[in-house]
Amino acid sequence: DVRAPAAGIVKDVLVKEGDSVNVGQAVCTLEEGGAAPAKKGGKKAAAKEAPAAAAGPTADIEVPPMGDSITEGAIAALVKTPGEACAADEVIAQIETDKVTIDVRAPSAGIVEGWSVNEGDTVTVGQAIARFTPGAAGAAPAAPKGAAAPAAPKADAAVLPAAKSLKPATPASAAPPAVSPAASSAPAAGSRGETRVKMTRLRMRVAERLKSAQNTYAMLTTFNEIDMSNLMSMRTQYKDQFMEKHGVKLGFMSAFIKASGRALKAEPAVNAIIDGDEIVYRDYVDVSVAVSAPKGLVVPVLRNVDAMTFADVERSIATYGKKAKDGTLSIDEMTGGTFTISNGGVFGSLNGTPIINPPQSAILGMHSIVQRPVVINGEIVARPMMNVALTYDHRLVDGREAVTFLKMIKEAVEDPRRLLLNL
């Protein structure tokens, strides 16, 4: 959904239904202000406000659908207390699943009468979790001066504090860790205490999938090193112009993702999967980018990266990174993916062997950039070098294909002109 950032009037719609749009593209112009509702006329406004002023019958709020493969979750936070008013579409609770955190929103303005569940309880799709009286809260903002304009800021004021309160309330295990600092500061020295914290559903799911990958795949890792000099020089030379034109920073991930897309097309086995007794070859390239979120590892997917520009890639990564921190990634944004890239270098990792993200057949591990002595044209010089690792399923991918794939990425990153010339 594209939502209005503030009350106002939609002046121009810049796209048509069915048009393809990119992240960050302007789709309409909005004139902020409360004039829009007032122009509808006193009688119409009064007629629209009348139903909001009258409280409707109390009804149950149920757990919303959470995705095709998700049937249950745990109550992560009850944002509203019994008797508290809320605006239409305001978040009143959060449900943590093994993939994402789902917001439960108020169907209309009203009052949350009470909860039938507690934080930490397991709930299923369609289960009633709250009693809700619609309309009762709508009378309060409608009273002043009879115009609907003040109601919009009221709704914003109700939504924003709730959004701010989600950060401390989001982790289901927020309470136990809060005790540990006090416990650790109590003894002067030599504390040997222990703190038990319940694993979040996301962490349990990550652990299950990673162990399943180890038990199922014949994983083998091949290594290489990349001279980052040319890519760093290109970034230094064009980063300001890139930022000015595209509104996003130029990083290194876009080059690696574009190089991976090209290599996946050249070595289709790395982009394939085993399904029973069949091999499924995909003619599209969707790259999952491993992102460290507050609750655990998440892997949003960049789709059709072979058709994306550097700017498209950087914009998508920035958007997904923000959503991962806020816990607002949707299931659709993390579903699919034919290949994964994990950048442990941002944490200082020098080398490692990444684990395949099922049901994919390979994963690329990036590591930190370190100045090292290398021999070039018979001379020892210092160059910024990055170690890279490709873990692949040896049941499907042969060593020749894996080494060739990683070498193609190395060549493209060391000389970014290859990406432009399709070499």
Side-chain angles (χ1 to χ4, degrees):
D1 294 336
V2 179
R3 301 177 185 272
I9 302 172
V10 176
K11 285 292 187 183
D12 297 300
V13 178
L14 308 178
V15 294
K16 300 175 183 177
E17 291 186 6
D19 287 356
S20 296
V21 293
N22 297 320
V23 175
Q25 178 180 338
V27 295
C28 69
T29 56
L30 178 75
E31 180 180 317
E32 294 189 20
K39 286 183 181 177
K40 293 186 178 179
K43 288 185 180 179
K44 275 191 174 182
K48 284 197 170 185
E49 288 165 7
T58 300
D60 290 331
I61 291 183
E62 299 177 346
V63 176
M66 298 183 287
D68 294 338
S69 60
I70 301 177
T71 58
E72 66 175 23
I75 299 294
L78 300 177
V79 180
K80 293 294 182 180
T81 57
E84 187 174 355
C86 59
D89 205 39
E90 185 178 353
V91 176
I92 61 173
Q94 287 189 315
I95 301 174
E96 183 186 63
T97 71
D98 55 12
K99 292 184 179 179
V100 293
T101 299
I102 304 293
D103 291 334
V104 179
R105 298 179 180 272
S108 62
I111 294 177
V112 177
E113 300 292 352
W115 296 100
S116 55
V117 293
N118 298 315
E119 291 186 3
D121 287 357
T122 299
V123 294
T124 57
V125 174
Q127 177 180 337
I129 59 173
R131 297 290 292 169
F132 180 78
T133 301
K145 301 193 178 179
K154 180 66 179 175
D156 288 344
V159 172
L160 291 176
K164 289 180 181 176
S165 68
L166 296 185
K167 284 192 177 179
T170 296
S173 56
V179 182
S180 62
S184 61
S185 60
S191 172
R192 292 175 56 81
E194 294 181 352
T195 302
R196 288 181 178 268
V197 179
K198 184 175 176 59
M199 290 178 69
T200 64
R201 297 180 69 89
L202 178 60
R203 173 54 59 188
M204 288 191 289
R205 180 61 174 163
V206 169
E208 177 187 331
R209 285 174 60 84
L210 293 179
K211 188 56 185 172
S212 174
Q214 282 189 322
N215 294 339
T216 303
Y217 294 135
M219 288 193 288
L220 187 63
T221 304
T222 184
F223 302 92
N224 214 320
E225 59 180 8
I226 297 178
D227 185 345
M228 299 291 288
S229 300
N230 290 333
L231 185 59
M232 294 175 70
S233 174
M234 184 185 77
R235 180 175 180 270
T236 301
Q237 183 176 354
Y238 294 108
K239 63 180 181 179
D240 293 335
Q241 297 177 46
F242 190 88
M243 179 67 180
E244 183 179 349
K245 181 171 182 178
H246 301 293
V248 66
K249 292 181 179 179
L250 176 61
F252 297 136
M253 282 297 292
S254 51
F256 277 91
I257 289 174
K258 290 295 294 178
S260 297
R262 187 175 69 97
L264 288 167
K265 287 287 189 179
E267 296 292 341
V270 184
N271 200 44
I273 61 170
I274 294 177
D275 185 11
D277 59 353
E278 296 178 330
I279 298 175
V280 181
Y281 290 94
R282 276 82 65 95
D283 56 2
Y284 56 90
V285 177
D286 295 346
V287 175
S288 304
V289 181
V291 177
S292 178
K295 292 186 184 179
L297 187 71
V298 293
V299 279
V301 180
L302 278 68
R303 306 190 189 280
N304 299 316
V305 298
D306 49 325
M308 298 175 74
T309 64
F310 274 53
D312 294 334
V313 172
E314 294 293 354
R315 264 195 296 266
S316 298
I317 291 174
T319 300
Y320 283 148
K322 184 178 185 303
K323 285 187 173 184
K325 289 180 181 178
D326 296 340
T328 57
L329 280 170
S330 69
I331 295 173
D332 290 341
E333 290 170 328
M334 294 190 292
T335 301
T338 62
F339 181 74
T340 295
I341 297 179
S342 177
N343 186 6
V346 296
F347 304 110
S349 172
L350 183 62
N351 220 334
T353 54
I355 299 177
I356 295 173
N357 177 27
Q360 299 170 13
S361 298
I363 179 173
L364 176 69
M366 298 168 54
H367 300 93
S368 58
I369 302 172
V370 179
Q371 288 281 342
R372 291 206 302 265
V374 294
V375 178
I376 298 179
N377 297 326
E379 296 184 356
I380 299 177
V381 295
R383 288 295 179 93
M385 305 297 293
M386 174 191 287
N387 292 330
V388 288
L390 178 75
T391 299
Y392 58 97
D393 185 358
H394 211 349
R395 300 176 304 165
L396 175 60
V397 183
D398 293 331
R400 178 191 63 81
E401 295 167 323
V403 172
T404 302
F405 175 87
L406 192 57
K407 187 169 179 286
M408 288 185 68
I409 293 179
K410 168 186 169 70
E411 291 173 346
V413 173
E414 287 187 338
D415 186 359
R417 293 173 298 181
R418 286 177 169 269
L419 295 174
L420 299 176
L421 301 174
N422 196 25
L423 297 176

